Amino acid sequence: MSNRANTFKTNKRGESRKSKGNNKVKGRNRSKRTDNFSFSKTKLSEGTLKALKIIGLFLIIASGLFAIAFVSYLFTWQADQSYISQTNGSWKTLFQTYEELDADDIALPLVQNKLGKLGALLSNQFIYEWFGVSSFLFVFILFIVGYRLLYQRSIIPVVKSVLYASVGILFISVTFGFFYDYFSNSPHILEGKFGYWTNQMLNAQVGKVGTGGILLFILLTFLILVFNFDLRFSFFSSNSQTTPKEELQDQSSDSDAAYIPHTNAMVTPPSAEKVDQAETLPTKTAKEKEVTEPETIPKPTVEPSSTGINEIKTSPTEEISLDLEMPPEESIAQETNDAEPQMEVADTVEEKKVSSNELVEKYGKFDPKLDLSGYKYPTLDLLDEHGTGKITINQEELEENKNKIVETLRNYKIEIKHIKATIGPTVTLYEIIPKPGVRISKIKNLEDDIALSLAALGIRIIAPMPGKGTIGIEVPNSNPQLVSMHSVLATEKFKTTNKALPIALGRTISNEVYIADLAKMPHLLVAGATGQGKSVGINAIIASLLFKKHPAELKFILVDPKKVELSLFKKIERHFLAKMPDEEEAIITDTKKVITTLNSLCIEMDQRYDLLKDAQVRNLKEYNNKFTNRKLNPNEGHKFLPYIVLIIDEFADLMMTAGKEVETPIARLAQLARAVGIHLIIATQRPSVNIITGVIKANFPARLAFRVLSKVDSRTILDSGGADQLIGRGDMLLATGSDLIRLQCAFVDTPEVDNVSEFIGEQRAYPTAHLLPEYEDESGGDSGSGEVDLDERDKLFEEAARLVVSHQQGSTSLIQRRLKLGYNRAGRIIDQLEAAGIVGPFEGSKAREVLYPDEYSLEQYLKKLQES
């Protein structure tokens, strides 16, 4: 038997310390970048920055005055306190002379504070009445906040400093109050009345020792949280000295094997009992059988670090030898012969993983349109051309209106410098530039007078016009032009648009086609009185999407309480519509079915969010792009997701009949659904606050207002006036954020909509409409009263029975909480359990008696119940 030894050396400790140091430097740099936040990055206006600097200068000067008053009070407190005690510390005396205060022939002592009566009153309030000498920290708080505001940078973290200083004020005051008995002859200068009375209260509750323990606990907690204070005191550390062997043993318990640099071997450290004994390692290769001279390992030394973790440093002088005893070759051969036959494990053939790029090169990108590859988009021949689409300029009308506007303004001594006319299909915009010195509000107030002089309806004054230095006056044309849907969709702007969900709303005052993107709106609220073009506007929105999108890319959910407005789109059910499973009609007209559909759409939204989470994307566009590039596996549940547009034609009727049951899912969809491609279009002819509630209104930033009857309705839908001054027949205002755009809605007649629906409906379609997820109402089946029919038991009847018997408690709240059901459904299950004889009758506030003692007898009964 021969002994062989190998030498192993390491310098990993130094590398780890270096990495720790780098991490600390990075942490300091990160905190420094956070503290050096500048107000310029917040894009504040110049006036706001100046105001902040003035406030900062005031706070710095105030901190200096507070410091002078507090320091002076420490030396002149007797005279100052004598003055305050005779005047009852009233701040009213600050502006009174000594002659007025000596009305009762009482000689008041003069205030000796360097800041006069103001300094005496401030010091009395902060030091005597409040927190004692810890009030000096208020000077520190005022200074660092003022410095930050004035110079827009900070020398130390402001928020942390204010927080620590506030805690220090309270703690120091209470601590000095704890030692008040040792200087009871002095007034409340050190601790203040806050510290004194806080200690009195604590002493009465937990005693003097308990109060001291609470203060010590707060102090140590603060030191640990702020400074990471190490609580290992000297009498602990003296008994915890470890030998190098014990330290090596401690390290060996942390890992099973330590990697030795410059080798490929894994060496298992010795156990605690055999740390000095040699280890026996079998030889395997000829290189390992070569005899080498014994070498040594540097002896590690243990130094406690500030982080509480012992670091090991190698010493070049002290070394520990590590002898590796190898068994002779004969014994190895003997062990090999006596061993059992070895089993060969065949190598498994791993399947080659195919990347998404290879799939795209081989098969091309996934095309969701292949299911209906022969689908043809509707053509413009299906639409009628109403009118020429060109605007005729009537110079006489323009000149007459201009003269009347100028004459009306001159009657009120308002001179005009320049006037410009922009002719639209139904409205002409006159932009005027008044002479210097004219107030804009004066022109705004003449809205009714200008309407009277022009003898026109729907005068609207925009003062000033956004982005222009002019005042706009919108005057209706005497011969308005009809904007046809054909003329809008035939434009190059609509044909070449790359918007996700383009909707052609009509033309602006400058006769430009206005195309909005519903995906960016992301929801649209439409309101208007009866007969003002609201239903035509909804048909125009649907027609725009039908002309631009493939059935695989878009689905509609149509809700039509009036049952006749959206019935024209029944023909495209298997192409573009979505519905609930087992429903005959895709266009929803029943209120109860609307509630079920909205909740089902919420489930669809949640399922889509789960798919986006698994795909690690943030919106529908990124998800579909990833899916078409074959980066998502369909076997894992991924699929191409079409846009879903929910359109509700008469929302007021739903709110009147369903109320909260409709408002809650719509609010959820409006808040969350835009990222997963679900968008809402809600129309109503009653834009009152009980119909368009605050919850709904807050989540519909885009609002389309046709003519309404009152200013109140206009403010409800647009948060501003103007909708009551429209002229009707498709004249509308679109509010997108802060912008308000006047449009003439594109007109699409009922026969045109029928032609488009029939053209799409005659083509090859999907087997069924797009199916939404199933939704089961929490209230269960029929909610009527009377006897319970056990043949129509709830699906969770048996599970609820086992739950009740196992807990021996028959209560509705237990079933509701454990099975996550609504109260109505849980109450119905309890009634069924009572009818089945599993629980007893209702006993008031007590839980129902459970009539089955164990689950075995219950299972026997349930088995009989199923067989019957």
Side-chain angles (χ1 to χ4, degrees):
M1 186 178 298
S2 61
N3 296 333
R4 295 174 182 158
N6 294 321
T7 302
F8 307 94
K9 296 182 180 181
T10 180
N11 61 349
K12 296 184 73 175
R13 178 60 60 182
E15 294 176 0
S16 63
R17 285 197 299 270
K18 184 177 179 180
S19 63
K20 290 181 181 178
N22 292 337
N23 292 337
K24 293 179 180 178
V25 172
K26 292 179 181 178
R28 289 194 295 269
N29 292 339
R30 191 182 299 112
S31 62
K32 187 175 181 180
R33 288 194 299 269
T34 304
D35 297 338
N36 289 339
F37 171 77
S38 175
F39 284 106
S40 62
K41 295 181 180 179
T42 59
K43 298 182 180 180
L44 297 177
S45 62
E46 184 178 356
T48 305
L49 289 174
K50 289 181 179 179
L52 292 176
K53 289 183 179 180
I54 293 173
I55 296 173
L57 179 62
F58 171 78
L59 292 178
I60 291 177
I61 295 175
S63 67
L65 295 178
F66 270 61
I68 294 172
F70 289 173
V71 173
S72 177
Y73 182 79
L74 296 179
F75 299 97
T76 64
W77 64 270
Q78 293 180 344
D80 296 347
Q81 208 62 36
S82 179
Y83 166 81
I84 290 172
S85 61
Q86 294 192 31
T87 58
N88 295 325
S90 175
W91 284 83
K92 296 180 180 179
T93 62
L94 181 62
F95 302 102
Q96 294 180 356
T97 62
Y98 281 96
E99 290 77 8
E100 295 175 348
L101 295 174
D102 291 340
D104 297 333
D105 296 333
I106 299 176
L108 292 176
L110 295 176
V111 174
Q112 298 182 12
N113 195 290
K114 295 298 182 181
L115 215 61
K117 289 190 289 183
L118 177 61
L121 290 170
L122 282 174
S123 302
N124 171 72
Q125 191 67 42
F126 279 86
I127 297 179
Y128 187 83
E129 294 290 340
W130 285 351
F131 305 109
V133 293
S134 62
S135 300
F136 277 90
L137 291 176
F138 282 110
V139 178
F140 171 73
I141 293 175
L142 291 174
F143 179 78
I144 62 172
V145 175
Y147 187 91
R148 175 62 179 273
L149 295 178
L150 179 60
Y151 296 103
Q152 302 181 15
R153 59 188 178 87
S154 59
I155 50 179
I156 56 176
V158 176
V159 178
K160 286 186 178 181
S161 301
V162 172
L163 178 62
Y164 295 162
S166 302
V167 174
I169 289 171
L170 301 177
F171 181 77
I172 294 172
S173 175
V174 177
T175 302
F176 275 122
F178 179 75
F179 297 102
Y180 177 77
D181 295 339
Y182 299 101
F183 40 83
S184 57
N185 295 327
S186 63
H188 305 292
I189 294 178
L190 293 178
E191 77 284 358
K193 288 187 177 181
F194 171 79
Y196 175 78
W197 288 111
T198 301
N199 272 275
Q200 295 297 321
M201 181 187 67
L202 290 175
N203 290 338
Q205 300 296 329
V206 296
K208 194 74 173 179
V209 177
T211 303
I214 292 173
L215 293 176
L216 180 61
F217 171 75
I218 294 173
L219 175 61
L220 295 177
T221 301
F222 181 79
L223 293 177
I224 292 173
L225 293 177
V226 178
F227 302 106
N228 196 16
F229 183 70
D230 193 355
L231 296 180
R232 294 184 300 176
F233 300 105
S234 59
F235 59 86
F236 288 131
S237 60
S238 61
N239 295 331
S240 61
Q241 299 294 333
T242 58
T243 63
K245 294 181 180 180
E246 293 173 349
E247 190 67 32
L248 186 61
Q249 173 187 347
D250 294 339
Q251 289 187 358
S252 67
S253 63
D254 294 337
S255 60
D256 294 335
Y259 179 73
I260 306 301
H262 311 299
T263 67
N264 293 328
M266 297 296 293
V267 179
T268 304
S271 62
E273 295 83 0
K274 300 181 180 181
V275 69
D276 288 328
Q277 297 179 5
E279 290 193 3
T280 303
L281 295 177
T283 59
K284 294 183 180 180
T285 62
K287 187 175 181 180
E288 292 175 339
K289 295 179 182 179
E290 295 179 0
V291 179
T292 58
E293 291 296 329
E295 295 185 1
T296 57
I297 293 177
K299 181 179 180 180
T301 59
V302 182
E303 291 187 5
S305 65
S306 59
T307 61
I309 300 175
N310 294 333
E311 297 183 357
I312 301 177
K313 296 184 178 180
T314 59
S315 174
T317 58
E318 299 181 2
E319 296 178 344
I320 300 176
S321 61
L322 180 62
D323 296 332
L324 302 179
E325 182 178 352
M326 308 298 294
E329 297 180 0
E330 296 178 358
S331 62
I332 296 176
Q334 184 66 27
E335 291 175 3
T336 305
N337 295 331
D338 296 340
E340 296 180 358
Q342 295 183 355
M343 179 179 64
E344 288 187 17
V345 179
D347 296 334
T348 58
V349 180
E350 295 183 358
E351 296 182 0
K352 182 181 177 182
K353 295 183 179 179
V354 182
S355 64
S356 59
N357 294 331
E358 294 176 354
L359 288 174
V360 172
E361 291 177 2
K362 186 175 182 180
Y363 301 104
K365 291 186 177 181
F366 175 80
D367 188 6
K369 304 177 184 178
L370 288 178
D371 292 337
L372 295 180
S373 57
Y375 175 81
K376 295 181 180 180
Y377 291 84
T379 60
L380 294 176
D381 300 333
L382 302 172
L383 302 177
D384 298 332
E385 295 185 32
H386 301 280
T388 60
K390 297 181 179 179
I391 296 178
T392 57
I393 301 176
N394 190 341
Q395 291 292 345
E396 294 181 0
E397 181 182 356
L398 293 176
E399 194 69 20
E400 182 180 359
N401 288 339
K402 184 201 78 171
N403 294 333
K404 288 182 179 179
I405 292 173
V406 172
E407 182 180 358
T408 304
L409 294 177
R410 282 179 179 173
N411 292 336
Y412 293 92
K413 299 179 181 180
I414 298 175
E415 296 294 329
I416 297 175
K417 184 178 178 181
H418 178 72
I419 187 168
K420 173 187 174 184
T422 304
I423 304 173
T426 56
V427 176
T428 299
L429 174 65
Y430 295 90
E431 295 180 61
I432 62 174
I433 302 176
K435 288 186 176 181
V438 178
R439 299 176 62 182
I440 296 178
S441 60
K442 194 173 182 181
I443 301 177
K444 180 69 175 175
N445 294 333
L446 298 177
E447 189 170 359
D448 295 334
D449 299 285
I450 296 175
L452 179 63
S453 64
L454 295 175
L457 177 67
I459 298 293
R460 198 169 74 99
I461 295 179
I462 309 170
M465 292 195 66
K468 299 180 181 180
T470 60
I471 298 173
I473 301 177
E474 295 177 350
V475 181
N477 297 334
S478 58
N479 296 315
Q481 300 291 327
L482 186 65
V483 178
S484 65
M485 196 69 191
H486 183 280
S487 64
V488 174
L489 300 184
T491 58
E492 192 71 16
K493 186 176 182 180
F494 181 80
K495 291 180 179 179
T496 60
T497 183
N498 57 355
K499 300 180 184 296
L501 293 175
I503 51 177
L505 294 176
R507 294 184 180 270
T508 62
I509 291 180
S510 58
N511 202 35
E512 294 180 357
V513 174
Y514 187 86
I515 300 174
D517 190 359
L518 182 61
K520 292 183 178 180
M521 280 185 170
H523 311 293
L524 182 62
L525 187 62
V526 184
T530 303
Q532 303 303 320
K534 185 173 71 280
S535 297
V536 174
I538 293 177
N539 289 336
I541 291 173
I542 298 177
S544 302
L545 296 173
L546 293 178
F547 271 79
K548 202 68 179 177
K549 307 304 290 184
H550 190 274
E553 299 173 320
L554 176 65
K555 301 297 177 183
F556 291 99
I557 300 176
L558 304 181
V559 179
D560 185 16
K562 290 191 287 187
K563 303 181 181 181
V564 293
E565 293 291 342
L566 300 176
S567 59
L568 297 173
F569 300 101
K570 185 179 179 180
K571 300 175 183 178
I572 62 173
E573 174 181 341
R574 293 189 297 152
H575 293 84
F576 283 98
L577 299 189
K579 66 176 183 178
M580 292 286 296
D582 302 327
E583 287 289 341
E584 296 180 359
E585 298 289 336
I587 299 176
I588 307 165
T589 57
D590 188 2
T591 304
K592 294 182 180 179
K593 294 181 180 179
V594 172
I595 298 172
T596 304
T597 304
L598 291 176
N599 286 284
S600 175
L601 196 57
C602 290
I603 298 174
E604 172 74 17
M605 176 187 70
D606 294 334
Q607 291 178 355
R608 289 191 172 200
Y609 267 114
D610 292 335
L611 293 176
L612 264 64
K613 176 185 175 183
D614 295 337
Q616 298 180 356
V617 293
R618 297 190 301 174
N619 53 55
L620 184 76
K621 185 177 180 180
E622 295 178 1
Y623 178 87
N624 285 338
N625 186 35
K626 207 168 184 179
F627 187 84
T628 54
N629 289 322
R630 301 186 184 276
K631 294 182 179 180
L632 300 175
N633 190 355
N635 295 329
E636 297 176 359
H638 293 288
K639 57 184 177 181
F640 185 87
L641 300 178
Y643 286 95
I644 297 179
V645 178
L646 170 65
I647 299 178
I648 302 177
D649 183 41
E650 188 47 59
F651 186 64
D653 183 71
L654 295 180
M655 290 296 293
M656 291 174 61
T657 55
K660 287 289 182 181
E661 293 180 290
V662 170
E663 182 183 0
T664 301
I666 284 182
R668 279 204 69 209
L669 293 170
Q671 290 169 353
L672 302 173
R674 68 176 183 85
V676 292
I678 300 176
H679 304 279
L680 280 63
I681 299 176
I682 294 178
T684 179
Q685 63 181 5
R686 289 183 52 204
S688 55
V689 292
N690 60 334
I691 302 299
I692 305 175
T693 62
V695 176
I696 296 175
K697 193 174 174 184
N699 295 287
F700 282 77
R703 301 164 194 172
L704 192 63
F706 292 83
R707 185 172 183 266
V708 293
L709 302 180
S710 65
K711 291 183 179 294
V712 176
D713 292 340
S714 177
R715 292 191 184 97
T716 302
I717 181 67
L718 296 176
D719 290 333
S720 64
D724 57 317
Q725 298 169 336
L726 300 175
I727 60 176
R729 296 180 61 85
D731 191 15
M732 61 186 182
L733 288 173
L734 176 64
T736 56
S738 59
D739 297 330
L740 198 63
I741 305 171
R742 189 166 186 174
L743 301 169
Q744 177 61 37
C745 181
F747 176 75
V748 53
D749 202 3
T750 301
E752 298 174 67
V753 177
D754 193 28
N755 292 337
V756 173
S757 299
E758 188 173 358
F759 176 83
I760 297 174
E762 289 175 353
Q763 301 184 49
R764 188 170 69 89
Y766 294 105
T768 60
H770 182 78
L771 298 180
L772 297 173
E774 292 186 1
Y775 170 76
E776 183 177 357
D777 190 2
E778 287 186 356
S779 60
D782 190 12
S783 60
S785 59
E787 296 183 359
V788 178
D789 186 4
L790 292 179
D791 293 334
E792 297 180 358
R793 296 188 298 272
D794 194 277
K795 294 181 179 179
L796 298 177
F797 172 81
E798 294 185 2
E799 187 176 353
R802 296 186 184 97
L803 178 68
V804 168
V805 172
S806 63
H807 286 78
Q808 287 295 304
Q809 180 183 356
S811 65
T812 305
S813 60
L814 176 66
I815 298 176
Q816 182 183 4
R817 185 174 62 255
R818 290 302 180 92
L819 300 183
K820 298 179 180 179
L821 303 177
Y823 181 80
N824 293 334
R825 188 178 180 185
R828 190 170 293 103
I829 292 176
I830 278 288
D831 293 340
Q832 293 175 0
L833 293 175
E834 180 185 356
I838 298 175
V839 297
F842 179 70
E843 298 180 4
S845 59
K846 296 181 180 180
R848 295 173 184 255
E849 180 185 2
V850 181
L851 303 180
Y852 281 81
D854 51 35
E855 295 185 13
Y856 176 77
S857 57
L858 174 67
E859 293 296 335
Q860 296 296 325
Y861 174 75
L862 293 178
K863 187 176 181 180
K864 294 179 181 179
L865 197 62
Q866 291 175 357
E867 293 175 354
S868 61

